[in-house]
């Protein structure tokens, strides 16, 4: 199974078998509240007009405004965006922030666009979804191939129409226009706190070895944090290859080389392997930080790690997870492990609302507390229902969302 929406729905079906929440609420949670498709015309540099397809899925707002990133990727589909919006609902609930779940995407290879075309596309997307977004309605943020610069253009476009400042409408903004310190690496920072807590629960220490699939915003920041704190990062993969060194890689060197050349470097004692090899190399902890469905039925058996910490959204298919659980692998799910980004997005909104900005230390202290509280609560649920960590996280999240739906009379 590799349709992310089927995976997302299957996970909800699985937890419903344990929780037995109100069936009317369960039924509603299988679908987004609203899903829109937009056509975005962009005047290309060669003078032609190209139409790009974009989506915004608003899954649930029972606990607060819809919240979720915008992905620019050629593989974006309607189903993928719907699945990602559902995962956002659970994510904001797991870390207990007053937000719901949404997600956006545009079918585009952003690397093939000039800066002007990318800006026109970002502004066009915001214009197209303008009636649906707002700081109390739906709050977008960056995701794959979008960043602070893209958010800056989108905020500017949003504010131009009513002619008033509204920084809380979008998060992951540049610092100069209301962004938060620590937001650029928050997903990795949150994953780091969760990874450390999970490793401690399983009695794994700093001698643990780590393999990371994906060397972008999430994977690269995490690799640096882990190395700095004493772990051995033995494998790193991007979409083209894996570099592996059992004694540990020099993350700074790998990063610098990738920035300059766009490729992963082979160093002394390193092996350069196919991209997918990263999943099956000897490492105690595996961090998928690329795209969904990376670990599936055909490759799950080969995974050697004891813990998987999912920075990517939906990197493990339900079938793969069954195989992994059978092998005794602990999978720390995306909705917990990668929630650091949305937590700091929430902090960004709070700072925008009070118009007062916290220090980087303030942010990271608050983030650590949120992430550790969340993983402990998830572990309690896992033990209460004698289930996996993912199902523990789902139990916590779905009960919280269902309670909010019930309290609103949406049952
Ligand atoms: P990114 O675009 O910065 O980086 C993605 C990385 O994955 C790149 O290094 C790319 O080369 C690599 N990659 C792509 N396909 C691959 C493949 N088949 N094998 C190996 N590597 C591959 O994206 P990101 O922001 O780091 O996001 C990565 C994942 O984390 C996504 O699933 C995203 O939804 C999730 N996530 C990101 C954030 C965030 O704040 N950035 C927050 C939550 C979740």
């Amino acid at each position: 199974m590799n349709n992310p929406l089927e995976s997302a729905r299957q996970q909800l079906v699985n937890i419903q078998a344990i929780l037995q929440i109100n069936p009317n609420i369960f039924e509603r949670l299988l679908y987004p509240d609203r899903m829109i498709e937009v056509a975005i015309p962009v005047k290309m540099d060669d003078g032609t007009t190209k139409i790009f397809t974009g989506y915004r899925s608003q899954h649930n707002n029972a606990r607060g405004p819809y919240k979720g990133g915008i992905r620019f990727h050629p593989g974006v589909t309607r189903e993928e965006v719907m699945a990602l919006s559902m995962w956002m609902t659970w994510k904001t609930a797991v870390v207990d922030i007053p937000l719901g779940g949404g997600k956006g995407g545009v079918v585009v290879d952003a690397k093939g666009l000039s800066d002007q075309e990318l800006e026109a596309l970002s502004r066009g997307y915001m214009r197209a979804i303008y009636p649906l977004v707002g700081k109390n309605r739906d709050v977008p943020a960056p995701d794959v191939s979008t960043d602070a610069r893209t958010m800056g253009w989108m905020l500017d476009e949003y504010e131009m129409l009513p002619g008033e400042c509204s920084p809380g409408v979008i998060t992951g903004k540049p610092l100069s226009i209301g962004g938060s310190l620590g937001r650029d690496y928050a997903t990795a920072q949150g994953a780091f706190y969760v990874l450390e807590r999970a490793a401690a629960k399983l009695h794994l220490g700093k001698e643990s070895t780590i393999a990371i699939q994906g060397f972008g915003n999430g994977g690269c920041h995490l690799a640096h944090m882990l190395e700095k704190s004493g772990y051995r990062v033995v494998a790193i993969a991007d979409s083209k290859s894996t570099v592996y060194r059992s004694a540990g890689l020099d993350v700074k060197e790998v990063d610098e080389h990738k920035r300059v050349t766009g490729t992963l470097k082979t160093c002394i004692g390193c092996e350069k392997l196919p991209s997918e090899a990263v999943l099956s190399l000897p490492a105690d902890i595996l961090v998928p930080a690329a795209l969904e469905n990376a670990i599936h039925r055909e490759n799950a058996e080969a995974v050697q790690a004891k813990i998987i910490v999912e920075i990517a959204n939906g990197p493990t298919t339900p079938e793969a997870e069954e195989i992994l659980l059978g092998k005794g692998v602990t999978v720390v799910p995306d909705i917990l492990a990668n929630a650091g980004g949305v937590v700091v997005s929430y902090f960004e909104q709070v700072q925008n609302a009070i118009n007062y900005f916290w220090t980087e230390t303030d942010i990271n202290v608050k983030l650590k507390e949120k992430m550790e509280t969340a993983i402990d609560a998830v572990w309690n649920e896992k033990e209460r229902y004698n289930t996996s960590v993912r199902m523990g996280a789902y139990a916590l999240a779905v009960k919280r969302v269902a309670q909010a739906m019930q309290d609103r009379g949406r049952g």
Side-chain angles (χ1 to χ4, degrees), residues 31-315:
Y31 299 87
D33 289 345
R34 183 186 286 121
M35 169 69 187
I36 65 153
E37 179 175 330
V38 294
I40 311 157
V42 173
K43 183 68 74 75
M44 307 300 280
D45 293 347
D46 65 5
T48 59
T49 295
K50 201 167 165 190
I51 308 293
F52 293 89
T53 302
Y55 302 101
R56 185 78 190 166
S57 171
Q58 298 179 327
H59 177 255
N60 190 278
N61 66 352
R63 290 172 43 87
Y66 303 106
K67 181 85 191 89
I70 298 162
R71 175 175 291 198
F72 284 1
H73 193 271
V76 163
T77 63
R78 207 183 157 76
E79 285 73 23
E80 180 190 63
V81 175
M82 284 161 77
L84 289 163
S85 70
M86 195 191 289
W87 285 322
M88 283 305 298
T89 300
W90 313 139
K91 197 177 300 184
T92 52
V94 163
V95 287
D96 202 14
I97 53 179
L99 294 166
K103 198 81 182 187
V106 177
V107 188
V108 59
D109 178 7
K111 286 185 203 138
L113 299 186
S114 69
D115 278 2
Q116 283 96 312
E117 291 166 344
L118 190 60
E119 179 173 349
L121 179 64
S122 306
R123 289 183 181 276
Y125 177 75
M126 179 49 90
R127 272 198 308 279
I129 63 165
Y130 177 78
L132 298 181
V133 296
K135 64 182 181 198
N136 297 317
R137 216 177 266 174
D138 184 353
V139 184
D143 190 62
V144 176
S145 293
T146 56
D147 56 14
R149 190 173 64 145
T150 342
M151 297 305 109
W153 291 326
M154 290 189 189
L155 174 68
D156 192 57
E157 193 64 31
Y158 180 89
E159 290 180 342
M160 246 181 230
L161 297 166
E164 65 178 32
C165 288
S166 188
V169 72
I170 204 157
T171 59
K173 301 180 290 293
L175 287 177
S176 59
I177 52 175
S180 175
L181 289 166
R183 175 62 185 86
D184 48 348
Y185 58 83
T187 300
Q189 189 68 62
F192 175 80
Y193 295 138
V194 165
L195 181 150
E196 286 243 283
R197 197 83 158 188
K201 287 179 192 294
L202 298 173
H203 311 293
L204 291 178
K206 298 273 184 203
E207 69 290 347
S208 304
T209 53
I210 322 256
I212 302 179
Q213 182 199 40
F215 202 51
N217 184 314
C220 180
H221 283 302
L222 182 69
H224 282 286
M225 286 167 198
L226 290 166
E227 183 184 55
K228 198 167 155 209
S229 117
Y231 293 93
R232 241 185 322 145
V233 178
V234 294
I236 291 175
D238 67 6
S239 56
K240 297 185 201 92
S241 58
T242 295
V243 275
Y244 172 65
R245 185 164 179 261
S246 58
L249 294 162
D250 179 335
V251 174
K252 197 160 165 248
E253 191 186 21
V254 177
D255 188 9
E256 275 168 11
H257 190 269
K258 169 94 184 168
R259 274 174 213 278
V260 175
T261 67
T263 57
L264 294 175
K265 184 188 184 187
T266 329
C267 53
I268 296 166
C270 272
E271 281 177 72
K272 197 143 184 184
L273 301 163
S275 180
E276 193 175 308
V278 70
L279 301 172
S280 53
L281 288 167
D284 300 308
I285 302 175
L286 171 63
V287 181
L291 292 174
E292 57 270 12
N293 297 324
I295 308 174
H296 46 76
R297 192 174 40 191
E298 279 79 34
N299 62 14
E301 195 57 58
V303 169
Q304 299 195 47
K306 301 183 185 87
I307 309 183
I308 294 178
V309 178
E310 296 183 336
I311 282 200
N313 285 306

